[in-house]
Amino acid sequence: MHGTVAEGRGPVRYGPPAPGTGLPVLPELAGVLAGAATRTGPEPPGGGPELREAACGYWRRRGLRGDPELVAAAPGAQPLLFALLASYGGDVLLPRPCPAWWTPQARLLGRPAYHVPTPAECGGVPDPYALLETVRRVRTEGGVPRLLVLSVADDPTATVAPPETVREACEAAVGEGLHIISDETWRDTLHHPHDTVLFSPAEMCPGDVTVLSDLSGALTPAGWPAAVARFPDTERGGRGRARTLDVLTALGSVVAGPVAEAAAYALGEPDPVAVRMRRAAALHGALAEAAHRAVLAAGAFARPPQAGRHLYADLGPLRNRLAARGVTDSMELEEYLTGRLGAPAPGGHRFGDELGALRARLATRPLLGATEEECARTLDAAHPLELPHVQRALAAFGEALDGL
């Protein structure tokens, strides 16, 4: 039953937002970083007071009140999730599929990780009945399930779980004594924020949820690693934060001083940051919708993308045609699509999906443009899908799929 992610063929790395050609750095944000460049000391483990207070303000504007003494920061989501898993202990339950970087954190700690199927309408949150069955089966086999990691705005599926699905999954988890880690990295990348309802599990079960957010999801460049966690205001939450700080201290995992100042500025959401966040989300949404149409036109399937910078394509309907090309599982599909698209197309096995399922995550980033100048023009355009370089990229994307 242990959930594993196959190693795959080749060094494709997909985790929290990866570096590469993308939207230009916001000038105001770059100015803050440059102004702090002479700062030589790092933040203390868990982040300094200004960064933690800024994180509280960010969550407060989203209906989640908190205390800076119940916040921890780290240089990226990976070390922070590692510290959280280490601090809470026990076996880990994850939705299937889930972000490619979650399972390795549990594996490094020697913790069993069990993948639970998601409902038909969304990813990121386990089906509540499958969750209950998995918990009972793990306990029958001698396991000690204690943690559920989920994401309402999901990578890789680009979906947003309906509030009733989130509530049922959280109630099932809490009823079985599980603590929930809610990865909300992508909550600010909703393609149509006025038409999409997103509720944090921390709003529904405030005493049983730790919120994790990687700032490079929407606020800062991927090359400036910073992530924050919000612990519940309970005795267990306080102990969890204390142990998390112990782990971060032992690892020497601290946020660089200049990055901390830029992160605090971004978390404050001044007008330049807020405007960029909205424009980037709308742009990636338009590109994702165009890519989704191309996937459907090729005879494949994908849930309509609602958030983030990817879509999760199921090429199962093309299985016979792919088999004729020597593609029979997701590792071979990854290799095949990466070659045809000229961009990484990690297979579903990297996200905890079944190896035999012909699924892959397709990114919108390559559709922005091949150079920084093209990406900047795409961001500034009133109608980005009409730009020649975007049209060429979408045409190439569609032709690669149509060729199947």
Side-chain angles (χ1 to χ4, degrees), residues 15 45 94 127 135 295 297 323 335 383:
L94 310 169
D127 177 89
V135 169
V295 168
E335 186 175 339
H383 304 285

Side-chain angles (χ1 to χ4, degrees), residues 187-284:
R187 70 169 297 156
D188 296 314
T189 66
L190 301 185
H191 300 164
H192 301 286
H194 298 297
D195 301 324
T196 307
V197 179
L198 186 153
F199 275 104
S200 168
E203 297 178 76
M204 301 178 178
C205 306
D208 298 286
V209 178
T210 297
V211 176
L212 167 68
S213 183
D214 191 321
L215 273 59
S216 58
L219 292 170
T220 61
W224 304 1
V228 288
R230 173 190 179 273
F231 295 82
D233 190 7
T234 62
E235 182 179 349
R236 184 183 185 187
R239 291 197 308 268
R241 180 181 183 266
R243 289 194 294 266
T244 297
L245 295 186
D246 287 343
V247 176
L248 294 174
T249 301
L251 295 175
S253 188
V254 295
V255 182
V259 172
E261 296 199 20
Y265 172 80
L267 284 165
E269 298 177 283
D271 285 344
V273 172
V275 170
R276 163 61 70 85
M277 191 162 53
R278 291 193 297 268
R279 291 175 61 194
L283 172 57
H284 280 284

Side-chain angles (χ1 to χ4, degrees), residues 53-75:
E53 181 59 51
C56 285
Y58 167 86
W59 282 311
R60 192 178 303 118
R61 291 188 292 276
R62 286 153 181 80
L64 298 175
R65 297 193 175 276
D67 186 323
E69 295 304 313
L70 290 169
V71 173

Side-chain angles (χ1 to χ4, degrees), residues 127-146:
D127 177 89
Y129 298 103
L131 175 64
L132 291 173
E133 175 60 25
T134 302
V135 169
R136 290 165 186 161
R137 193 180 309 171
V138 171
R139 286 178 176 154
T140 299
E141 295 178 358
V144 186
R146 288 183 181 168

Side-chain angles (χ1 to χ4, degrees), residues 240-342:
R241 180 181 183 266
R243 289 194 294 266
T244 297
L245 295 186
D246 287 343
V247 176
L248 294 174
T249 301
L251 295 175
S253 188
V254 295
V255 182
V259 172
E261 296 199 20
Y265 172 80
L267 284 165
E269 298 177 283
D271 285 344
V273 172
V275 170
R276 163 61 70 85
M277 191 162 53
R278 291 193 297 268
R279 291 175 61 194
L283 172 57
H284 280 284
L287 294 171
E289 289 170 9
H292 183 247
R293 290 192 294 269
V295 168
L296 298 184
F301 171 77
R303 294 185 182 100
Q306 299 173 284
R309 300 164 190 168
H310 312 97
L311 68 157
Y312 198 57
D314 184 349
L315 279 70
L318 305 176
R319 181 174 296 275
N320 291 338
R321 298 181 188 180
L322 287 165
R325 294 166 170 80
V327 177
T328 60
D329 61 31
S330 64
M331 286 200 300
E332 293 168 344
L333 180 64
E334 175 184 296
E335 186 175 339
Y336 184 76
L337 285 179
T338 297
R340 289 187 66 85
L341 296 171

Side-chain angles (χ1 to χ4, degrees), residues 117-187:
T118 54
E121 66 269 19
C122 67
V125 175
D127 177 89
Y129 298 103
L131 175 64
L132 291 173
E133 175 60 25
T134 302
V135 169
R136 290 165 186 161
R137 193 180 309 171
V138 171
R139 286 178 176 154
T140 299
E141 295 178 358
V144 186
R146 288 183 181 168
L147 282 172
L148 169 65
V149 187
L150 52 74
S151 55
V152 177
D154 182 46
D155 164 31
T157 64
T159 59
V160 177
E164 58 272 18
T165 302
V166 179
R167 185 188 68 252
E168 292 172 1
C170 290
E171 288 177 350
V174 172
E176 292 295 330
L178 303 181
H179 188 76
I180 299 168
I181 297 176
S182 177
D183 182 353
E184 301 184 8
T185 294
W186 299 101
R187 70 169 297 156

